[in-house]
Each structure stands twice: as structure tokens, then as C-alpha cells.
Amino acid sequence: MTRVEEFEELRPLLFSIAYRILGSVSEAEDAVQETWLRYELSPTRPASAKAFLSAVVTRVSIDVLRSARLRRAEYVGPWFPEPLLTDPYEDPERSAELADSLSMASLLLLERLSPLERAVFVLREVFAFGFPEIASAVGRSEAACRQLAVRARRHMDEGRPRFEADRREREELAGRFFDAFREGKVDGLRELLAADVSLVADGGGKAPQFAGGFFGADHVSRLLADLLPPFFRIGGVMEPHHVNGRPGAIFRDRDGKVLNTWTLEILDGRIQTIRTVSNPDKLAHMGPVADAWAVLRETQQVRLDAD
């Protein structure tokens, strides 16, 4: 097998490692490309291409994350990971871990970890790498990596909700929510929301976003009732879709351009959190991006005309 064939076979795994460390599709793709360049220029063939490439992509991702954390500290408004519609890597034996680690909630918990803790957690808990491989990848002793893994696991466990909905419950509740959403049934929306539901947007200062978010079932349902009918009247489209392995939707303008993505977090039989990503820089990998400001102006005009 040639180096190119080896690399292409492992590309889905490399991307999946990098994305979970970085929370960014574009940065993960760049990390994978840098990994290929280093592999191509390596004078010798490693005994294990998987071990070598996984270590390289991890080191590259750690370096990128350290500089990215400084930029994120100055980010305008809430920062959410770039939405990912499909994980290219599949492993039936670890499907539960892979799906859980991809969710917005899990990726935001990972943001609380140091770059080394995050890398060790991803390699160990998500992809089941051994500690000798992890130690080689992050440049620390096996004992240090074990300590990092314990700390990371503790931080992640402390931040996770005690009871999460199973997949079937999530799908059923999300289906009811988006049906009511599409049909403009405000009462139907209200009864599916947790009393303390939050709706928070990541626009990065480059798209309309809800200042500080909306909180509570009454406020969120009222906002949705105000925005949805005029959005659909101007030709807007909502496509239910899994986003980061959880129920969500892609919103498009009348020309099919991506306006934003929504993801739902469901707990105790109710929608607990709605996260929207509308920063155009985070949507470009999904196709042409809509002019969100123009859509908002047109939507507002429709509302004024209706009044």
C-alpha cells in the first residue's frame, strides 16, 4: 500500500480526532492536511501508519488549539463549535462514545479542559488508544497521561447532566417540535420546552444573534411565534437534520443558501437548550451562505406589513 493509500484510508479517523480536539471543521481539515505534508516528507516509513499519523494530527491540533483559545477569548458573544453534519469515521464497537463526544454539549465541556487534557481524553475515552500511544502523541510520560485522563474524565463527568434522553426519545420529541415549528403551533411548541429552556446564538458579531439569549419557556415560545411565520412567508426553509449527532435543523433562505443551524439538547422529556450557529465563517463548509442581515430585514418588513 502506498503512502497516499495509507493516508486516505486513515483520513476519516484523523479528521475525527482533530475535530474533537479543535471543535472546528476548517481547523480540523487544515490539521489533517498538515499531517499529510509531514507524512509525505518523513524520510522513513513508520511501523504503524495509524500510530504515526494519529500522533502527528494530535500534536498539530494541540498547537492549533493553544493559539485558537486566545482568539476565542476575544470572540464576540457565545462561542459554539462549527456544526458538523456527518462524522466521517465509524467504529461499530465505539458508536456510543463517538456519537456522545460529537454533541455540542460534549464539545463545550471539552472547551473547559486544557489542550493536553482534551487531547488525552479524546484519544483515550473516544478512540480507545492505549497509554503508550497517547504518551508518544502528546510528549508526556504514561504516568502523566494517566493523571491527565483522570482529571479530564472527572471534569467531563461533573459537567454532564445526570439523565439524558435516549436516542429514540430524542428523535420523537424533536420530530414533534419541528412539526409544531413548521405549522406555527405556538401552544404545541410551548409544551415541548423545559420551564428553564434557553435559546442561545453564535453569530460571532457577523450575523444577527439574540443578545444574551432567551430564557424560559414563555420567552422562547413567544420569540419563535414572532419569527417563524414571516420567515416561512418570505420563502425560508427549515430542514430537520442531525447536527453534531443530535436532532437539529438547517435553515436556508429562498435560494437554498445556509442561514444557520440549530441543535436541540433534550433532558427529562423536554427541550432544555436550543443552540443556533449563524456566524458565516462557521457555515462555509456546508455550501453557499445566506446574507442573514438581508433575511432579517425582509422578515421584519413582513411583520410590519402584517401589523
Side-chain angles (χ1 to χ4, degrees):
M1 186 180 291
T2 67
R3 288 197 186 201
V4 172
E5 291 170 334
E6 285 179 330
F7 183 82
E8 289 303 323
E9 184 175 274
L10 291 165
R11 181 189 287 273
L13 171 63
L14 302 178
F15 173 85
S16 293
I17 291 172
Y19 177 77
R20 285 165 174 81
I21 294 175
L22 295 166
S24 165
V25 173
S26 55
E27 290 174 347
E29 289 173 342
D30 289 345
V32 171
Q33 182 60 28
E34 175 64 22
T35 299
W36 161 249
L37 293 176
R38 296 188 187 187
Y39 187 44
E40 185 182 34
L41 295 174
S42 176
T44 58
R45 294 285 289 272
S48 168
K50 178 182 177 181
F52 177 85
L53 291 169
S54 298
V56 172
V57 82
T58 298
R59 292 187 207 114
V60 171
S61 298
I62 289 172
D63 289 342
V64 173
L65 181 59
R66 283 172 173 151
S67 61
R69 286 165 78 92
L70 297 175
R71 296 194 303 274
R72 291 173 191 176
E74 301 174 350
Y75 195 80
V76 177
W79 181 93
F80 296 154
E82 288 185 15
L84 184 67
L85 302 184
T86 304
D87 185 1
Y89 178 72
E90 296 180 359
D91 181 351
E93 294 184 0
R94 302 195 62 79
S95 58
E97 292 88 346
L98 289 168
D100 182 64
S101 65
L102 198 63
S103 72
M104 286 275 183
S106 292
L107 290 171
L108 287 171
L109 284 177
L110 283 170
E111 282 291 304
R112 303 179 184 181
L113 307 182
S114 72
L116 280 178
E117 287 173 339
R118 185 164 181 164
V120 169
F121 182 89
V122 167
L123 291 177
R124 181 62 181 173
E125 300 296 327
V126 181
F127 296 99
F129 279 74
F131 280 107
E133 297 170 295
I134 297 171
S136 174
V138 302
R140 295 292 189 275
S141 68
E142 288 186 44
C145 288
R146 291 180 186 276
Q147 291 178 336
L148 287 166
V150 169
R151 288 205 304 269
R153 192 181 305 116
R154 183 174 64 248
H155 290 318
M156 293 293 287
D157 288 343
E158 288 171 354
R160 293 185 193 280
R162 189 176 298 273
F163 301 108
E164 263 195 291
D166 62 26
R167 182 181 180 87
R168 185 170 63 179
E169 183 183 0
R170 289 198 306 261
E171 300 299 331
E172 190 273 336
L173 185 61
R176 290 167 57 200
F177 176 77
F178 286 121
D179 285 344
F181 200 100
R182 189 184 293 108
E183 296 165 8
K185 296 181 178 178
V186 180
D187 291 339
L189 289 171
R190 173 67 178 78
E191 69 180 19
L192 299 174
L193 303 175
D196 57 348
V197 63
S198 61
L199 192 161
V200 189
D202 173 352
K206 299 182 178 183
Q209 64 188 59
F210 314 116
F214 282 77
F215 304 91
D218 289 337
H219 288 142
V220 171
S221 59
R222 193 176 304 122
L223 172 71
L224 297 180
D226 287 343
L227 291 181
L228 298 183
F231 172 73
F232 290 130
R233 279 201 289 273
I234 66 171
V237 176
M238 178 197 69
E239 298 175 358
H241 201 293
H242 280 91
V243 181
N244 287 82
R246 291 292 190 266
I250 303 170
F251 284 77
R252 300 179 185 273
D253 68 7
R254 65 164 63 90
D255 297 319
K257 296 179 179 179
V258 179
L259 183 65
N260 57 37
T261 62
W262 288 38
T263 55
L264 309 181
E265 294 294 337
I266 297 170
L267 299 171
D268 300 325
R270 293 288 186 273
I271 295 168
Q272 188 72 43
T273 307
I274 303 171
R275 294 188 179 93
T276 81
V277 177
S278 55
N279 183 341
D281 295 342
K282 295 186 176 185
L283 303 173
H285 63 281
M286 298 169 58
V289 179
D291 183 341
W293 294 105
V295 172
L296 178 62
R297 287 193 297 270
E298 190 172 0
T299 300
Q300 290 175 331
Q301 187 59 53
V302 169
R303 289 176 60 193
L304 289 173
D305 292 343
D307 294 340

